[in-house]
Amino acid sequence: MKLGKRLSQISDLVNNDYAHIWDCCCDHGLLGANLLDKGLNAKIHFVDIVPHLINELDEKLTQFYAHKESHWQTHCQDVTALPLSQYAGKHLVIIAGVGGDLCSAFVQNIMRQSPNLNIDFILCPVHHLYTLRQTLQSLALTLKNERLVNENKRSYELIYVSADKFGGQPVHAVGQRIWCYQDQQEYEIAKHYLNKTIDHYQRINQGSDDVSEIISAYKRVQLQPVE
C-alpha cells in the first residue's frame, strides 16, 4: 500500500546509517514494510503491544518478505521496554501516532534504560508537542531535522533527534525550521497550524492551568521563507 504524507516524510528521513530500526506502535506495519522495500542494511523491528496486530503482521511479513527474513523481526511488547542493548550497532527508534505525553514517556524510559547506546529518534505525535519538546530538551537530545507535515487537513510536527550530543542543534521549545515555508501553500499550512496551536493554549489558559508562557512563546514565532 502507498504511504500517506506523514509516513512518507518519515521514510524520507531514514538513511542507511543504522544497524537496527524500530518501528514502534507499527499498527499494520506500513512504514516498516516500506523501509524493507528500500533495501536498507538495517534490521527492521516491528513493535506493537497488541497481540493480534503482531500476529497478523507476522503472517504478512512471512508471506511477502520471506526472502528478507534476516532483515525483520516482530516484537509484541511495550515500547518502554525495547531490548535495544541486545543488539549491536546504531539504533533508530520511530514513534508516531501517539500523544506527545506518551511519546515523552517512551523516550525518557528508552534513554534511562540505554543511556550509553547510539540512538536516534524520529517522533511524530498527534498533540502535546510543547511537552515533548521540553522532554527532549531535558534529555539534551540534539536536533537533526524537523518538518511540518499536513495530511488530511491536519498538521503534524515531525522531530528527528539524536542522543549524540554533537549530532546537531539544541531542540527549540516551539520549533524553528517548521515555521519556514517554500511557497504560498506551505505558508498557509504553517500559519493555520500556528494559529490553531495558540487558540488551543488560550482555551487551556481560561481554566485553572496558567500556560501564558507557552502562549507567549508561540506568539513570538515569525513565519520565514526558506533561504
Side-chain angles (χ1 to χ4, degrees):
M1 292 179 64
K2 184 179 180 181
L3 297 183
K5 286 185 179 180
R6 187 165 53 99
L7 294 183
S8 291
Q9 290 284 327
I10 293 175
S11 178
D12 287 346
L13 288 176
V14 179
N15 55 37
N16 225 356
D17 288 347
Y18 304 100
H20 297 276
I21 299 173
W22 302 79
D23 178 10
C24 303
C25 314
C26 64
D27 195 16
H28 300 293
L30 295 180
L31 176 61
N34 174 267
L35 297 178
L36 282 172
D37 290 336
K38 289 176 71 170
L40 301 171
N41 295 326
K43 186 165 191 173
I44 311 299
H45 298 263
F46 296 78
V47 183
D48 205 294
I49 200 170
V50 183
H52 78 86
L53 289 177
I54 287 296
N55 290 337
E56 291 173 4
L57 182 56
D58 212 32
E59 291 179 5
K60 290 179 181 177
L61 290 170
T62 301
Q63 179 181 358
F64 296 108
Y65 292 95
H67 61 295
K68 292 188 176 183
E69 189 175 3
S70 62
H71 284 277
W72 61 266
Q73 184 174 348
T74 58
H75 304 261
C76 185
Q77 65 177 87
D78 194 322
V79 176
T80 58
L82 293 182
L84 302 185
S85 60
Q86 297 179 17
Y87 302 89
K90 188 174 183 179
H91 297 267
L92 173 63
V93 178
I94 303 173
I95 306 173
V98 299
D101 290 341
L102 185 56
C103 190
S104 296
F106 286 160
V107 175
Q108 284 177 315
N109 276 281
I110 291 169
M111 291 300 299
R112 187 180 301 119
Q113 293 175 14
S114 308
N116 299 317
L117 292 186
N118 194 354
I119 310 173
D120 289 352
F121 296 88
I122 295 180
L123 310 170
C124 190
V126 292
H127 45 63
H128 296 155
L129 270 300
Y130 191 88
T131 299
L132 175 59
R133 287 177 176 275
Q134 285 185 310
T135 298
L136 301 179
Q137 288 178 332
S138 70
L139 294 170
L141 297 179
T142 56
L143 184 71
K144 294 171 71 74
N145 205 337
E146 63 179 8
R147 297 178 181 179
L148 187 63
V149 182
N150 189 263
E151 182 180 56
N152 296 328
K153 298 182 179 180
R154 182 168 185 170
S155 294
Y156 301 88
E157 292 183 38
L158 196 163
I159 307 174
Y160 186 12
V161 291
S162 178
D164 180 1
K165 299 300 185 289
F166 305 100
Q169 301 173 337
V171 176
H172 193 275
V174 297
Q176 291 179 306
R177 299 180 197 174
I178 62 171
W179 308 117
C180 297
Y181 59 90
Q182 298 188 78
D183 52 36
Q184 185 65 25
Q185 183 181 27
E186 288 190 358
Y187 170 81
E188 294 296 339
I189 289 171
K191 180 181 178 181
H192 180 266
Y193 178 65
L194 178 59
N195 291 337
K196 184 178 179 181
T197 302
I198 292 172
D199 289 344
H200 167 73
Y201 283 108
Q202 285 178 332
R203 287 193 298 271
I204 292 176
N205 211 43
Q206 292 172 357
S208 57
D209 294 328
D210 182 5
V211 293
S212 55
E213 286 189 13
I214 301 177
I215 295 171
S216 296
Y218 279 106
K219 283 189 172 180
R220 287 194 295 269
V221 169
Q222 293 186 339
L223 304 184
Q224 300 284 346
V226 175
E227 296 180 356

